[in-house]
């Protein structure tokens, strides 16, 4: 049983693609969006670290790690979506 079955590879890939697209536009961000971007990047690093750690710790505490990774993933996804919305205005 995959501990991260709640976060599919497709979901991770989709968020990574949004991240990459936004990174290309980072030089155009307003100061507020840049600050939001910086916070999202820190969250991204944490979530990827946690996902990798979770994969290595499947047998230890699967439910707790999966829940934490899911919450972090959702936070990063939501932050990136907020940035995307702010750029469209």
């Amino acid at each position: 049983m995959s501990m991260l079955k709640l976060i599919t590879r497709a979901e991770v890939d989709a968020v990574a693609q949004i991240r990459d697209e936004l990174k290309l536009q980072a030089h155009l961000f307003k100061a507020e969006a840049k600050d939001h971007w910086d916070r999202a990047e820190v969250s991204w690093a944490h979530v990827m670290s946690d996902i990798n750690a979770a994969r290595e710790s499947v047998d230890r505490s699967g439910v707790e790690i999966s829940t934490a990774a899911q919450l972090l993933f959702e936070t990063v996804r939501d932050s990136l979506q907020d940035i995307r919305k702010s750029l469209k205005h």
Side-chain angles (χ1 to χ4, degrees), residues 8 25 33-34 39 46 77 80 82 87:
T8 66
Q25 298 176 17
K34 178 70 170 112
R39 289 190 303 274
H46 287 299
R77 181 196 62 211
L80 292 172
D82 288 345
L87 290 173

Side-chain angles (χ1 to χ4, degrees), residues 17-82:
Q17 181 177 349
I18 291 170
R19 178 186 171 270
D20 292 344
E21 290 170 5
L22 292 173
K23 190 173 183 179
L24 291 174
Q25 298 176 17
H27 67 283
L28 302 175
F29 286 174
K30 298 176 189 173
E32 183 179 335
K34 178 70 170 112
D35 290 341
H36 200 153
W37 173 260
D38 291 341
R39 289 190 303 274
E41 279 292 281
V42 169
S43 294
W44 176 257
H46 287 299
V47 77
M48 292 312 297
S49 175
D50 287 350
I51 287 172
N52 289 332
R55 287 183 178 136
E56 295 172 7
S57 303
V58 168
D59 292 330
R60 287 188 225 158
S61 181
V63 173
E64 292 174 17
I65 293 171
S66 180
T67 300
Q70 181 72 32
L71 290 173
L72 283 170
F73 177 81
E74 290 170 1
T75 299
V76 170
R77 181 196 62 211
D78 294 347
S79 293
L80 292 172
Q81 288 173 343
D82 288 345

